[in-house]
Amino acid sequence: MTGEKVSVVIPAYNAARFLAEAIESVLAQTVAPAEVIVVDDGSTDQTDRIAMGFSEVRLISLAHSGVSVARNHGVGAATGSFIAFLDADDTWHPDKLDRQLSLARSSPEVGVVMARQAYRFEGLVPAWFRGPTDGSSEPGYMPSNWLVRRRSWEVVGGFDERMSHSEDTDWLARAVDLGVAVAMVDEPLVTHRIHDSNASGLPREVRQGVLRALRDSVHRKQGAP
């Protein structure tokens, strides 16, 4: 895929304890991204200092506005023909971008490439967690797993900045409703960290966000205003 550039966007809010490891996993990729953009969403810890410690990272600092705003700002500043997101508490396997770009190369009709994910637990497995706990993987649909063609992003638009939970479900629903093809590399290429501050640990808010995304999808299909 000669000439194709990957921009990596890492939204970060009070992510100092995990951010360095996330960035290091990006810099260890066998296919190097064209740029790494960390968007500090108004953190009050040392997130900005951690990001500035990497010469390869471009830091964007915002007032605290939420992950959707942070990701959208990052994409707005990116120059790549592919966008890859990584949450600041997750990590990539070294061949993540290579394997996804290979699939994109062989399937030019695909607008979003995902990958399987495994989990890393910081402490006990929380009661809300429903994934595998034995080290095995499962299909991953969260933004840390995405590689998005720029042209597909432009068709779908950004994350809904009114949503603080399940904004990724909403984005994927809009993409599918607009006919964007989604594919998955059948290999575990992402490690999703489970810890005491995961947004997924707010089941009520997540449920409400998913229901909103599904409702909006139904309305779009029905042509409702």
Side-chain angles (χ1 to χ4, degrees):
M1 189 162 288
T2 304
E4 299 286 3
K5 294 170 55 179
V6 179
S7 297
V8 178
V9 174
I10 304 176
Y13 176 64
N14 288 344
R17 58 177 172 150
F18 301 133
L19 179 59
E21 191 174 355
I23 294 171
E24 287 164 359
S25 78
V26 173
L27 299 180
Q29 291 297 296
T30 56
V31 173
E35 58 188 351
V36 183
I37 301 170
V38 171
V39 184
D40 180 9
D41 183 31
S43 298
T44 57
D45 63 2
Q46 301 296 309
T47 291
D48 57 347
R49 291 175 180 259
I50 298 295
M52 288 187 293
F54 292 87
S55 60
E56 302 90 342
V57 167
R58 175 155 46 121
L59 175 66
I60 298 174
S61 296
L62 304 176
H64 183 51
S65 303
V67 68
S68 295
V69 172
R71 289 196 189 109
N72 289 346
H73 267 269
V75 175
T79 61
S81 52
F82 283 88
I83 308 295
F85 297 103
L86 177 60
D87 288 346
D89 50 359
D90 294 339
T91 56
W92 289 345
H93 294 208
D95 57 348
K96 190 260 191 188
L97 292 182
D98 183 29
R99 300 294 296 122
Q100 289 184 311
L101 285 168
S102 294
L103 192 155
R105 182 186 302 118
S106 64
S107 305
E109 76 283 358
V110 170
V112 183
V113 181
M114 301 185 184
R116 295 179 68 88
Q117 66 185 22
Y119 297 92
R120 173 177 173 179
F121 298 94
E122 300 290 332
L124 298 176
V125 178
W128 54 264
F129 183 75
R130 294 294 180 267
T133 59
D134 60 356
S136 59
S137 66
E138 65 179 359
Y141 298 96
M142 292 178 285
S144 291
N145 301 66
W146 301 2
L147 180 71
V148 183
R149 290 189 195 271
R150 166 76 70 170
R151 66 172 185 260
S152 297
W153 174 269
E154 292 171 350
V155 167
V156 179
F159 291 94
D160 187 335
E161 296 184 356
R162 300 167 298 175
M163 299 184 71
S164 57
H165 298 88
S166 304
E167 72 292 331
D168 50 348
T169 301
D170 172 77
W171 193 93
L172 285 174
R174 285 189 281 131
V176 171
D177 291 348
L178 288 166
V180 174
V182 179
M184 183 167 298
V185 177
D186 192 26
E187 299 175 34
L189 301 176
V190 178
T191 299
H192 181 56
R193 194 189 306 261
I194 303 299
H195 57 89
D196 55 3
S197 300
N198 283 121
S200 302
L202 301 170
R204 180 173 178 272
E205 291 84 349
V206 171
R207 233 180 357 257
Q208 289 175 337
V210 169
L211 289 173
R212 173 180 172 176
L214 294 176
R215 180 198 64 210
D216 290 349
S217 177
V218 169
H219 287 176
R220 284 192 296 272
K221 292 172 181 174
Q222 294 175 339

